[in-house]
Amino acid sequence: MTDNDRLTEEKIFEAATEVFVDKGMDGARMQDIAIQAGINKSLLHYYFRTKDHLFNAVFEMTCRKLLRKFAPVFDENLSLEEKIRFFFREHITFLQENPKLPAFIMNEINRNPDRIKKLIKNIDIEKKWLELFEQHRAELEKYNITKESLPQVIISFAAISVFPFAAKGILEVFLEKTGTGFNRFIEERKSFAADFMIQAITHNTDTGK
Amino acid sequence: MTDNDRLTEEKIFEAATEVFVDKGMDGARMQDIAIQAGINKSLLHYYFRTKDHLFNAVFEMTCRKLLRKFAPVFDENLSLEEKIRFFFREHITFLQENPKLPAFIMNEINRNPDRIKKLIKNIDIEKKWLELFEQHRAELEKYNITKESLPQVIISFAAISVFPFAAKGILEVFLEKTGTGFNRFIEERKSFAADFMIQAITHNTDTGK
DNA sequence: TGTATTTTTGACCGTATGGTTAAACCATAT
DNA sequence: ATATGGTTTAACCATACGGTCAAAAATACA
């Protein structure tokens, strides 16, 4: 009973995730989610009262899933360079398996910024960044990266990794024309991005601020 | 007549752009566009037959507006480094004035990839990139950037510039916590991005492929 | 001024959609 | 076997939405 119960709830949740990620909150239809889950539309309302409730549940879970992938960068005991290679390899591989997540999350956040604020509120990012800074203080100082410029650097890392997926629809067209397919581009990006960004910071000593 | 005619059509177009960029195709309501334009809903259908027609017109114009901003990179007669500084300064300034464009365009393209294909089909990107490559062959070869890795490099440039706006909703929350506001972050990014990326490529000589 | 043409409006239509409700179904406990 | 409780369904509701249409208003033309 509770067993079957959990099963249907999961079935609904998975179907909803698929449809929402694909169509977005506004484009998704409760009917489509029901069909996708192989159940009656009323059941959606039985388990998750409204479309909003269902969406919020899906959105929250999806955000957590993506944010969690950033954790090792802060936790693992690796050198800066190792962390960078680790980050791009793991993060891009994750996005390969979930290519639509970035566009979905970004879009919904821009559509309704308040939603994310509640989610992130609990994460003390300032503390995490400071920890990261202390962990690699020696290396970072050598590369002239200050506490002030750290956000610029970190966001650049995210950009290099996430952007190709967020802009997938455009890049596919461009890349097709150059002979490289999107998949091969991404595969090559794992190491390219790491090399590129390591170069960007390791020779960054002559940039006064 | 034709004068007033053009006026209402423009009024509609501007209102539609605002609403579509803000809410997306699915989230936008014809009624809202009419109100925004200060006219009757039927007039929308008189000038642009359907919501699809209106959206396509808006979307196409918006894409052109953004793509046009990339042109100087290919045309202007500047050194590579000058081009890079020029690109980030101009491009980020443009996005400052139109911060919602990246998210809008990316989202709609991912939602309906065929739309962009018709738009880009005419642009011979392969040729443009080759031209760019030839223009700066000496510098690029010195930096070990090949025809094959050029897409990786160019897309990285786009990422560094566009991503902060696409992810604005998230970054605002993070940046608020670190004391820097989004606006200041962007202002600083114009020069940071240029410095950062120039470093990334100019010392890129030891990366075998 | 009167007539034809174009622009603008308000009322209306059919349908899609999120949501409700009452009844059917089904497992379990007595 | 049957009463009880949660689960699932079909039928239904109200509303929102894109779109149409005929008439009014404005404009051009004679």
Side-chain angles (χ1 to χ4, degrees):
Chain A
M1 190 71 76
T2 307
D3 213 38
N4 189 8
D5 197 5
R6 180 139 301 155
L7 254 157
T8 17
E9 191 169 331
E10 261 168 37
K11 234 172 28 182
I12 291 175
F13 195 86
E14 276 165 34
T17 303
E18 198 165 319
V19 175
F20 275 132
V21 168
D22 210 52
K23 308 278 182 98
M25 165 68 170
D26 291 330
R29 296 291 99 117
M30 292 298 264
Q31 183 62 47
D32 294 344
I33 295 172
I35 291 172
Q36 177 77 20
I39 50 138
N40 188 284
K41 182 166 70 92
S42 303
L43 255 198
L44 299 182
H45 293 284
Y46 179 75
Y47 281 94
F48 305 82
R49 286 210 329 226
T50 65
K51 189 185 182 185
D52 260 318
H53 276 74
L54 181 52
F55 178 83
N56 284 335
V58 166
F59 185 71
E60 190 167 326
M61 176 61 77
T62 308
C63 279
R64 282 191 203 294
K65 213 172 138 192
L66 190 106
L67 282 175
R68 204 179 301 137
K69 282 283 148 182
F70 282 93
V73 176
F74 297 96
D75 302 335
E76 298 279 334
N77 187 21
L78 301 167
S79 77
L80 189 60
E81 185 172 327
E82 283 170 330
K83 271 192 186 175
I84 291 173
R85 295 196 190 283
F86 176 87
F87 167 76
F88 282 115
R89 190 166 5 93
E90 293 299 306
H91 198 252
I92 292 180
T93 301
F94 171 73
L95 292 180
Q96 264 178 323
E97 289 152 15
N98 305 273
K100 288 180 176 174
L101 282 203
F104 169 65
I105 291 178
M106 285 182 191
N107 185 51
E108 296 302 337
I109 285 176
N110 286 325
R111 214 59 93 210
N112 186 347
D114 289 332
R115 232 185 311 253
I116 194 71
K117 283 175 187 154
K118 285 169 203 155
L119 259 176
I120 303 190
K121 203 165 31 187
N122 307 317
I123 307 171
D124 191 349
I125 189 70
E126 171 74 354
K127 195 179 130 212
K128 290 236 167 203
W129 283 9
L130 274 178
E131 275 173 28
L132 187 76
F133 189 76
E134 294 304 332
Q135 266 173 47
H136 300 280
R137 174 182 278 280
E139 288 164 290
L140 292 172
E141 275 177 356
K142 196 172 69 186
Y143 306 150
N144 237 28
I145 295 172
T146 64
K147 269 180 208 148
E148 287 72 41
S149 62
L150 193 59
Q152 293 281 359
V153 175
I154 292 183
I155 289 170
S156 300
F157 275 80
I160 291 292
S161 165
V162 170
F163 177 81
F165 293 95
K168 188 181 179 196
I170 310 167
L171 296 191
E172 273 175 342
V173 184
F174 280 114
L175 290 171
E176 224 61 66
K177 287 187 174 181
T178 68
T180 322
F182 181 76
N183 291 335
R184 200 177 123 207
F185 173 84
I186 290 298
E187 203 52 50
E188 287 172 3
R189 194 155 186 81
K190 291 178 194 172
S191 59
F192 171 87
D195 292 338
F196 193 78
M197 295 305 268
I198 287 167
Q199 289 295 339
I201 63 167
T202 54
H203 290 278
N204 199 19
T205 46
D206 51 355
T207 311
K209 199 263 133 111
Chain B
M1 187 72 77
T2 307
D3 212 37
N4 188 6
D5 198 6
R6 180 138 302 153
L7 251 157
T8 22
E9 189 167 334
E10 261 167 36
K11 236 175 21 186
I12 291 175
F13 194 86
E14 276 164 34
T17 304
E18 196 164 321
V19 175
F20 276 133
V21 168
D22 209 54
K23 308 280 182 95
M25 165 67 170
D26 291 331
R29 297 292 98 116
M30 292 297 265
Q31 183 61 44
D32 293 344
I33 295 173
I35 292 172
Q36 177 76 21
I39 50 137
N40 189 286
K41 183 165 70 91
S42 304
L43 254 199
L44 299 181
H45 291 100
Y46 179 74
Y47 282 96
F48 306 82
R49 286 213 325 232
T50 65
K51 189 185 181 184
D52 261 319
H53 276 74
L54 181 51
F55 178 82
N56 284 335
V58 166
F59 185 72
E60 191 168 324
M61 175 61 76
T62 308
C63 280
R64 281 192 205 293
K65 215 173 135 192
L66 190 105
L67 283 176
R68 205 179 302 137
K69 282 282 148 181
F70 283 94
V73 176
F74 297 97
D75 302 334
E76 298 280 333
N77 187 20
L78 300 167
S79 78
L80 189 59
E81 187 173 325
E82 284 169 329
K83 271 193 186 174
I84 291 172
R85 296 196 189 283
F86 177 88
F87 167 75
F88 282 115
R89 191 167 4 95
E90 292 300 305
H91 199 251
I92 292 180
T93 300
F94 171 74
L95 292 180
Q96 263 178 324
E97 289 152 16
N98 305 273
K100 287 179 176 174
L101 283 202
F104 169 65
I105 292 178
M106 284 181 190
N107 185 51
E108 296 302 338
I109 286 176
N110 286 324
R111 213 60 92 210
N112 187 347
D114 289 333
R115 223 172 333 239
I116 195 71
K117 283 174 187 154
K118 285 168 203 156
L119 259 177
I120 304 190
K121 201 163 34 189
N122 308 317
I123 307 171
D124 191 347
I125 188 72
E126 172 74 355
K127 195 178 132 215
K128 289 237 167 203
W129 283 8
L130 275 178
E131 274 173 26
L132 187 74
F133 188 77
E134 294 304 331
Q135 266 173 46
H136 301 279
R137 174 183 279 281
E139 288 164 289
L140 291 172
E141 274 178 356
K142 195 172 69 185
Y143 305 149
N144 235 29
I145 295 171
T146 65
K147 269 181 210 147
E148 287 73 40
S149 62
L150 192 59
Q152 292 280 0
V153 176
I154 291 183
I155 288 170
S156 300
F157 275 79
I160 291 292
S161 167
V162 170
F163 176 81
F165 293 95
K168 188 181 180 197
I170 309 166
L171 297 191
E172 273 175 340
V173 183
F174 279 114
L175 290 172
E176 225 59 65
K177 287 188 173 183
T178 67
T180 322
F182 182 77
N183 291 334
R184 200 177 124 207
F185 173 85
I186 291 298
E187 203 52 50
E188 287 172 4
R189 195 158 186 81
K190 290 177 194 173
S191 59
F192 170 88
D195 292 339
F196 193 78
M197 295 305 266
I198 287 167
Q199 290 295 339
I201 63 166
T202 54
H203 288 279
N204 199 18
T205 46
D206 51 353
T207 311
K209 198 266 135 108

